[in-house]
Amino acid sequence: MKNTVLILFLLIIISCKGPEPRRAVKKSSGNVIKESVLRNKKLLAEEEKLFQQIIKEDTIHTYTHSAVGSWYYYNKQNKESNYTCQPNDLVTLTYTVLSTKNDTIYSYKEIDTLKYKVDLQELFPGLRHSVKLLKENETATFLYPSSLGYGYHGDTKKIGVNVPLKVVLSILEIKKEIN
């Protein structure tokens, strides 16, 4: 009997090890990220090629390339002012969203006039940057790659996945932020 109790006691002690961590079944090699980067570079190159074609066919306007990757031309320029929007300024603006084939996606009437606190409210990335390029009473037409538009999510309404956009933006008023 003593031997049986001793054997049971030893079995209980031996079987009470701490939990062992599970080993990874599959190790990630980073290929997903590399593939995503390559896919995004290819998409951007295709959109840039489209923009170059649009610019080439548009012999009326002179396009400027912005620092963030959009292209634009002025429809109406204000040469009397030098002031462009700064962070915290309150800007009154309107804009129309078009496809690269000039089909209206959202008209300025649908969007309505916006009051935008620069860098403190949400706009899609390209528009947020473009507001800072224009002065009061200026209008410009911008070409945005999908990465500066609504990206791979779209807007879940009218703008699909990875859609480059054309936007006509008008700055109606700039109220400087008072310190």
Side-chain angles (χ1 to χ4, degrees), residues 40-56 63-72 100 143-148 162 164-165:
N40 288 336
K41 284 182 178 182
K42 182 180 176 188
L43 177 64
L44 185 59
E46 289 171 6
E47 291 173 351
E48 192 64 33
K49 186 177 176 183
L50 171 66
F51 292 161
Q52 290 305 318
Q53 186 63 36
I54 291 170
I55 291 167
K56 182 180 175 183
Y63 286 78
T64 303
H65 191 255
S66 77
V68 296
S70 63
W71 288 91
Y72 67 100
T100 53
L143 297 173
Y144 299 123
S146 59
S147 59
L148 292 178
N162 293 326
L165 299 172

Side-chain angles (χ1 to χ4, degrees), residues 78-100:
N78 179 357
K79 297 189 184 226
E80 296 173 11
S81 174
N82 292 325
Y83 187 77
T84 56
C85 307
Q86 301 301 312
N88 298 321
D89 286 352
L90 184 63
V91 179
T92 305
L93 60 96
T94 62
Y95 66 97
T96 299
V97 180
L98 308 162
S99 72
T100 53

